[in-house]
C-alpha cells in the first residue's frame, strides 16, 4: 500500500522567526534562548542517560510511516540548507517511542558541526528532521510542550565505498542553494530513510528546545546514537554554503535537572567495538579555531576514536 493519507497542510514558513540573528552573537538571541532552563542542544553523557526499563517514558518502538518517497524542495534560509515537503504532498508520520500520538514531518536541515555532543565529542555534521504534532498549526505547536519532535542523526566522515549513499539524493541540489539569495529548488523525490541511522531504535531522548531563535521549549528530541556517513567531497560542499558566518551550530546548553533517557536498543550495543572515524573533541579545539577548521575543509579535522568510558553504564547492565 502506497496510499499515504496524511498530507502537508501546515504552512511552510520557517519554524523559527526570520529575525536578524547570528551564530557569532548567541548571547544576543532573544526570548527564552538565554533565559530558559530547558534549552538545546546539550552534551549527552552516556553514563547519566537513564534506561527506561519499565517503559514509562519510551513505550514502544519508534514507528516511521511514509519516509521512503517524499517530494521535497531545497532552500537556503541564510542559516542552513533545508529540504521541505511540498504543500499537499505526502507527508511522513512519526509515532511511538517517547511520543504520544502522531507527528507529521515538515523538513530536515543540517548543522555543521553537530549541535549535540556525546560524552563531550562532536561530529562533523548533524541532520535535524523536524516534525509537528499532527493536526496542530505551527502557532499551536510552538505554544505547547509536546508540539514538535525532532530527530537528530550524526554523520561521521568516511572515505570509502558507500560513504556517499546517505546524502546521494540531496547533494545534486546543493549548488542551487549554496547562496542564501538563490531561489528554492524544484521538488525532487527523496528517500528520507537514507538519513536515518541503520539502527533507528537506538537513541537518546530528552525534552528541549529549538536551537534557533525563538528557542521555544517545545521539542521532544530523539538523538540517534549510531552515526551515518558522509564522504569528504560531500562535506566540502556543506562548508561552502552561505550561512551568514563560518558555522551554524548553537553552543551547548546546560542540562539542568532534565533527564536524558536512552532506548534499550542503545544499551545492547554499548559493549560493541567503537567506531573509528572523524570526530571532534570539544576539549581540544576552541570554537573559533574549530570554525576556521571547518572552513579550511576536511583536512583540518582531528582523527579521534570515539571514547566509550571505561565502566559500562550501570543502567544498561541492569536492563539486560
Ligand atoms: C496515528 O496515525 C495512525 C495511522 O494513520 C492512526 O491509525 C492512528 O489512529 C493515529 N493515532 C492518533 C493518536 O491519532
Ligand atoms: C553566490 O555565488 C557566487 C558564485 O556562484 C559567488 O561568487 C558569490 O560570492 C556568492 N554570494 C554569496 C553571498 O555567497
Ligand atoms: C528566482 O525566481 C524569480 C521568479 O521566478 C526569477 O525572476 C529569478 O530570476 C530567479 N533567480 C534566480 C537566481 O534563479
Ligand atoms: Zn536544527
Amino acid at each position: 500500500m502506497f496510499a499515504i493519507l496524511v498530507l502537508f497542510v501546515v504552512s511552510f514558513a520557517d519554524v523559527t522567526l526570520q529575525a536578524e540573528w547570528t551564530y557569532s552573537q548567541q548571547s544576543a538571541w532573544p526570548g527564552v534562548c538565554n533565559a530558559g532552563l530547558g534549552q538545546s542542544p546539550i552534551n549527552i553523557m552516556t553514563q547519566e542517560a537513564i534506561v527506561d526499563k519499565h517503559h514509562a517514558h519510551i513505550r514502544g518502538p519508534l514507528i516511521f510511516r511514509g519516509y521512503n518517497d517524499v517530494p521535497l524542495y531545497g532552500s537556503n534560509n541564510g542559516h542552513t540548507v533545508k529540504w521541505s515537503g511540498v504543500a499537499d504532498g505526502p507527508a511522513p508520520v512519526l509515532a511511538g517511542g517517547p511520543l504520544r500520538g502522531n507527528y507529521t514531518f515538515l523538513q530536515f536541515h543540517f548543522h555543521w558541526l553537530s549541535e549535540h555532543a556525546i560524552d563531550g565529542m562532536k561530529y562533523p555534521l548533524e541532520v535535524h528532521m523536524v516534525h509537528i504534532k499532527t493536526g496542530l498549526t505551527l502557532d499551536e505547536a510552538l505554544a505547547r510542550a509536546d508540539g514538535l519532535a525532532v530527530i537528530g542523526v550524526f554523520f561521521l566522515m568516511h572515505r570509502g565505498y558507500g560513504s556517499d549513499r546517505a546524502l546521494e539524493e540531496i547533494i545534486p541540489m546543493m549548488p542551487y542553494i549554496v547562496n542564501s539569495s538563490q531561489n528554492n529548488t524544484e521538488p525532487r523525490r527523496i528517500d528520507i530513510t537514507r538519513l536515518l541511522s541503520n539502527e533507528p531504535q537506538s537513541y537518546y531522548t530528552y525534552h528541549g528546545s529549538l536551537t534557533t531563535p525563538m528557542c521555544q521549549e517545545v521539542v521532544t528530541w530523539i538523538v540517534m546514537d549510531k552515526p551515518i556517513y558522509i564522504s569528504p567531497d560531500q562535506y566540502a560542499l556543506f562548508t561552502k554554503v552561505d550561512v551568514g558566518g563560518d558555522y551554524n551550530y548553537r553552543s551547548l546548553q546546560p542540562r539542568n535537572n532534565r533527564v536524558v533517557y536512552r532506548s534499550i536498543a542503545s544499551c545492547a550495543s554499548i559493549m560493541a567495538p567503537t567506531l573509528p572515524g572523524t570526530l571532534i573533541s570539544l576539549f581540544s579545539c576552541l570554537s573559533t579555531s574549530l570554525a576556521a577548521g571547518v572552513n579550511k575543509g576536511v583536512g583540518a579535522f582531528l582523527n579521534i576514536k570515539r571514547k566509550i568510558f571505561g565502566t559500562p553504564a550501570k543502567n544498561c547492565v541492569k536492563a539486560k
Side-chain angles (χ1 to χ4, degrees):
M1 279 300 288
F2 294 96
I4 298 168
L5 299 177
V6 183
L7 302 178
F8 287 104
V9 286
V10 297
S11 123
F12 288 97
D14 265 2
V15 168
T16 60
L17 291 184
Q18 282 298 298
E20 292 298 317
W21 55 268
T22 64
Y23 282 102
S24 54
Q25 301 223 306
Q26 296 181 31
S27 59
W29 287 11
V32 295
C33 296
N34 286 294
L37 297 175
Q39 291 289 295
S40 296
I42 59 170
N43 177 28
I44 295 170
M45 297 300 289
T46 57
Q47 292 285 295
E48 292 173 2
I50 303 293
V51 182
D52 193 18
K53 292 187 287 288
H54 304 296
H55 307 283
H57 188 74
I58 299 175
R59 295 194 188 156
L62 285 174
I63 300 161
F64 300 90
R65 293 193 183 94
Y67 284 70
N68 291 93
D69 184 12
V70 191
L72 302 175
Y73 66 88
S75 62
N76 179 332
N77 65 6
H79 302 296
T80 188
V81 277
K82 180 168 79 167
W83 277 261
S84 312
V86 299
D88 301 326
V93 173
L94 176 68
L99 304 174
R100 309 290 175 256
N102 292 323
Y103 284 75
T104 304
F105 172 86
L106 292 179
Q107 46 100 339
F108 63 77
H109 62 266
F110 295 87
H111 298 271
W112 53 96
L113 305 171
S114 70
E115 294 210 299
H116 288 93
I118 306 287
D119 291 333
M121 307 291 275
K122 282 222 182 187
Y123 289 81
L125 186 75
E126 180 176 345
V127 63
H128 287 161
M129 301 174 197
V130 182
H131 302 71
I132 185 169
K133 197 167 175 61
T134 304
L136 297 188
T137 66
L138 196 53
D139 282 345
E140 287 167 348
L142 291 173
R144 49 187 281 176
D146 64 347
L148 299 177
V150 183
I151 298 176
V153 186
F154 299 117
F155 286 77
L156 265 180
M157 201 141 21
H158 186 63
R159 202 181 293 275
Y161 182 75
S163 62
D164 56 359
R165 184 181 176 281
L167 294 170
E168 197 173 38
E169 293 183 330
I170 65 162
I171 285 289
M173 297 159 88
M174 288 281 274
Y176 303 99
I177 49 177
V178 163
N179 275 350
S180 55
S181 55
Q182 285 169 297
N183 289 333
N184 299 344
T185 70
E186 289 298 310
R188 182 180 160 159
R189 306 188 84 91
I190 304 291
D191 177 2
I192 303 176
T193 63
R194 288 182 181 227
L195 299 176
L196 294 172
S197 127
N198 290 333
E199 293 176 53
Q201 302 301 334
S202 185
Y203 58 85
Y204 301 97
T205 179
Y206 75 100
H207 191 265
S209 74
L210 294 175
T211 64
T212 52
M214 306 296 284
C215 310
Q216 289 94 334
E217 296 177 348
V218 299
V219 179
T220 302
W221 278 98
I222 297 168
V223 180
M224 306 219 155
D225 68 346
K226 302 292 186 299
I228 56 178
Y229 295 109
I230 180 170
S231 74
D233 288 348
Q234 290 176 336
Y235 194 75
L237 294 176
F238 280 92
T239 65
K240 291 184 187 116
V241 172
D242 169 24
V243 290
D246 290 335
Y247 59 95
N248 67 350
Y249 61 91
R250 188 186 190 192
S251 59
L252 291 166
Q253 304 295 308
R255 180 167 65 86
N256 295 322
N257 58 1
R258 285 176 289 174
V259 175
V260 177
Y261 292 95
R262 66 185 303 170
S263 65
I264 288 179
S266 80
C267 286
S269 55
I270 197 165
M271 306 294 200
T274 61
L275 271 172
T278 311
L279 287 176
I280 321 300
S281 167
L282 284 182
F283 306 118
S284 64
C285 324
L286 296 173
S287 60
T288 46
S289 58
L290 210 52
V294 170
N295 252 14
K296 278 181 211 141
V298 297
F301 286 107
L302 307 167
N303 265 306
I304 306 166
K305 285 194 178 180
R306 176 166 175 189
K307 291 190 192 99
I308 301 285
F309 289 2
T311 50
K314 286 193 194 90
N315 286 313
C316 281
V317 173
K318 278 189 208 142
K320 280 180 181 171

